[in-house]
Amino acid sequence: MSLKNNQNPSNTYNYIIAGGGMAGLSLAFYLNQSSLRNKSILIIDREEKNTNDHTWCFWEKERSPYEEIIFKQWKGVWFHGTDSFSQFLDLQEYTYKMIRAIDFYKYIFGILKENINITFLQADILELTETVKTDQGDFYASEFVFDSCYRSNYDNPKYHNMLQHFKGWVIETEKTVFKVNEPILFDFRTDQKNELRFVYVLPYSETKALIEFTIFSDNLITDAEYEFYLKKYIEETLKVGEYKIKPDEYQISETEFGIIPMSDEVHEILPMPKVIRIGTSGGYVKASTGYTFQRSQRFLQNLVKSLATNSKVSNGMKFNAWKGFLDTVLLNVMLKNRTPQDKIFTGFFKNNNPSKVLKFLDEDTSFFEDILFVNTVPKPPFIKAAWEVLVKKIITQF
Ligand SMILES: Cc1cc2nc3c(=O)[nH]c(=O)nc-3n(C[C@H](O)[C@H](O)[C@H](O)COP(=O)(O)OP(=O)(O)OC[C@H]3O[C@@H](n4cnc5c(N)ncnc54)[C@H](O)[C@@H]3O)c2cc1C
């Protein structure tokens, strides 16, 4: 669907959604389902959103609000860790799901275009206060501007700042190679280079899969390096039975590159009256894993509920100091490389029921479950990290 300016003479809307990407469109989707669907809403994005610019994966127990467009889903995943720990893990009550951005955009545009109160504008946002200045004119929000465009530099030394960066190829093979019900969620059998490096393989069919090489670190590598490791993995490590894919036996049909900030920076959620930051801008990213999609859905549903009931304004995130502390400790262990990081993740999945790990990463575990979980990680590096995080927090209070 092409974006259009629905000529509102006063250029004033109840809500302006600045940035119609994952968070902006999800917010509009939930607003459209709520009692607020009659509010006038302007969604501004510089892009037309007609390409498959992301592949979003997440896990959940329930049906997704986007169930119709789930591209693939799996009930179990392979884990290839350290010390020869290789296991196919049953996710029990959870399902691992994948949505392609192109399907998401089409689906949401299709629904929202039925609502005459929603207007799309393709424009570059130049300045954002309660007035949103764009290269197509200025627009005013009588109630709120929801900002998903802002990006912090994530360079404040007070915080732990890492990056999750990755390059992926969708490859198509001549022979039937992939087992469609057996994705690989983590494969650590790649040179770690004192960072956390892994590959995941998400099969679309027996001859097609997304293969993504991912690094958690504080610096990027060159494009040629990502490609070198992808090729090496596909041709040397990835085996189906005893079969290895040969260099001339596959073609790359799509590529994906991404950088996700992993930071415990305290995000300014309400930078000025009437402006609410959402998505990556609003700190929705889970600092220690980079997973954002499913958290955004939860937080945006909370946000819409609070708007509909005139509750205290926030961006829907629930602040939990204990969960934040655990996240920062894990980030500290990884950033300071206090112990081989592939061993940490292997330990998580080797020593815990996989559904417990997913529940823990979703921050749904109780305090008691957290203590049991924490008890399964190597003690000295985590105690050192916890101590450093506590001291840092105390110092920065003064
Ligand atoms: C390639 C990739 C894959 C990812 N995969 C996963 C995954 O599998 N699971 C998961 O949980 N998370 C994943 N993430 C993390 C996260 O879910 C995504 O980054 C998600 O898109 C964040 O949503 P957002 O709305 O904050 O940002 P975006 O989706 O990037 O939306 C921001 C929008 O603002 C627009 N914009 C920005 N500046 C301006 C401007 N000045 N004027 C006009 N428009 C502007 C952009 O065009 C964009 O459409 C992935 C991230 C990337 C980059």
Side-chain angles (χ1 to χ4, degrees):
M1 182 182 135
S2 65
L3 309 182
K4 64 173 195 301
N5 181 0
N6 200 9
Q7 302 306 322
N8 169 337
S10 70
N11 278 2
T12 303
Y13 297 82
N14 292 115
Y15 300 146
I16 297 179
I17 299 180
M22 188 274 285
L25 290 179
S26 302
L27 172 62
F29 176 77
Y30 295 122
L31 285 170
N32 185 57
Q33 288 178 342
S34 77
S35 57
L36 302 167
R37 69 186 314 275
N38 296 325
K39 299 272 183 188
S40 58
I41 303 172
L42 175 67
I43 305 174
I44 309 174
D45 202 292
R46 56 155 71 116
E47 294 172 359
E48 212 170 324
K49 308 311 278 181
N50 59 359
T51 59
N52 190 34
D53 52 8
H54 297 77
T55 309
W56 289 300
C57 289
F58 55 96
W59 56 86
E60 65 186 345
K61 292 187 209 163
E62 310 81 13
R63 264 179 73 79
S64 166
Y66 310 114
E67 200 64 34
E68 280 175 51
I69 49 157
I70 300 289
F71 184 65
K72 288 281 159 206
Q73 49 185 301
W74 301 276
K75 288 300 297 169
V77 294
W78 274 101
F79 185 98
H80 299 295
T82 56
D83 307 325
S84 312
F85 176 72
S86 271
Q87 229 174 61
F88 189 71
L89 307 170
D90 176 1
L91 299 181
Q92 295 169 329
E93 66 269 39
Y94 289 97
T95 305
Y96 198 69
K97 301 184 179 181
M98 177 200 275
I99 291 182
R100 288 165 8 117
I102 186 70
D103 300 330
F104 177 84
Y105 301 140
K106 266 193 204 151
Y107 178 69
I108 296 204
F109 289 149
I111 291 172
L112 299 185
K113 78 173 180 201
E114 301 295 324
N115 184 340
I116 54 160
N117 300 309
I118 299 179
T119 303
F120 291 95
L121 173 68
Q122 188 173 0
D124 226 319
I125 296 167
L126 308 172
E127 199 184 310
L128 192 151
T129 58
E130 293 101 59
T131 303
V132 181
K133 295 191 174 183
T134 78
D135 60 356
Q136 308 282 318
D138 297 351
F139 299 87
Y140 313 95
S142 58
E143 295 184 46
F144 291 110
V145 176
F146 301 99
D147 176 14
S148 63
C149 298
Y150 173 81
R151 288 292 178 273
S152 164
N153 293 326
Y154 296 107
D155 55 4
N156 186 335
K158 257 172 71 179
Y159 301 109
H160 298 79
N161 297 307
M162 274 182 105
L163 299 171
Q164 177 177 151
H165 46 110
F166 44 89
K167 176 146 189 166
W169 287 340
V170 174
I171 65 163
E172 294 186 44
T173 56
E174 286 165 15
K175 301 199 170 130
T176 53
V177 171
F178 305 106
K179 295 192 175 162
V180 280
N181 294 324
E182 298 188 15
I184 301 172
L185 184 57
F186 288 110
D187 193 337
F188 289 105
R189 296 171 302 174
T190 181
D191 193 350
Q192 295 293 305
K193 303 259 184 210
N194 281 329
E195 297 173 333
L196 182 73
R197 295 180 168 210
F198 59 91
V199 179
Y200 58 86
V201 180
L202 302 173
Y204 294 3
S205 73
E206 288 180 332
T207 55
K208 195 170 179 182
L210 169 64
I211 304 189
E212 200 122 347
F213 175 68
T214 306
I215 306 180
F216 291 8
S217 71
D218 53 0
N219 62 312
L220 302 179
I221 59 174
T222 63
D223 204 41
E225 284 174 288
Y226 293 110
E227 296 195 352
F228 169 81
Y229 289 111
L230 271 168
K231 213 168 142 39
K232 190 166 157 50
Y233 179 82
I234 294 167
E235 294 164 21
E236 295 176 21
T237 313
L238 181 66
K239 273 204 274 182
V240 182
E242 277 316 298
Y243 183 73
K244 273 191 194 175
I245 306 171
K246 297 184 188 67
D248 59 350
E249 282 181 347
Y250 67 95
Q251 278 158 4
I252 301 160
S253 57
E254 284 174 52
T255 59
E256 178 178 75
F257 175 74
I259 303 173
I260 306 174
M262 299 170 72
S263 171
D264 59 346
E265 178 174 307
V266 178
H267 288 76
E268 208 177 352
I269 289 166
L270 308 168
M272 54 198 95
K274 291 195 185 175
V275 176
I276 303 180
R277 287 194 182 138
I278 59 168
T280 310
S281 311
Y284 286 3
V285 180
K286 168 96 174 152
S288 60
T289 64
Y291 278 107
T292 315
F293 184 87
Q294 187 63 356
R295 286 163 65 83
S296 301
Q297 305 311 315
R298 284 187 182 191
F299 299 150
L300 291 167
Q301 287 174 30
N302 293 342
L303 169 57
V304 170
K305 258 184 224 148
S306 67
L307 287 171
T309 51
N310 280 322
S311 312
K312 192 170 166 273
V313 176
S314 84
N315 71 355
M317 280 181 76
K318 300 259 185 277
F319 178 71
N320 182 324
W322 165 244
K323 298 289 184 190
F325 173 71
L326 291 179
D327 223 28
T328 300
V329 170
L330 180 52
L331 213 50
N332 181 291
V333 171
M334 293 196 287
L335 195 60
K336 299 275 166 94
N337 206 8
R338 294 184 187 279
T339 185
Q341 299 165 42
D342 49 345
K343 277 189 189 270
I344 305 173
F345 281 84
T346 304
F348 283 173
F349 284 90
K350 195 174 172 182
N351 303 325
N352 295 282
N353 188 320
S355 68
K356 229 345 129 37
V357 183
L358 300 184
K359 190 176 175 194
F360 176 78
L361 296 178
D362 268 347
E363 301 181 358
D364 283 342
T365 35
S366 65
F367 181 73
F368 180 65
E369 287 173 310
D370 287 343
I371 298 297
L372 291 179
F373 192 85
V374 166
N375 213 23
T376 65
V377 300
K379 304 280 171 318
F382 276 85
I383 290 170
K384 264 193 204 152
W387 177 248
E388 188 173 294
V389 169
L390 272 176
V391 171
K392 210 171 174 180
K393 278 211 187 304
I394 292 166
I395 291 171
T396 51
Q397 294 297 312
F398 299 102

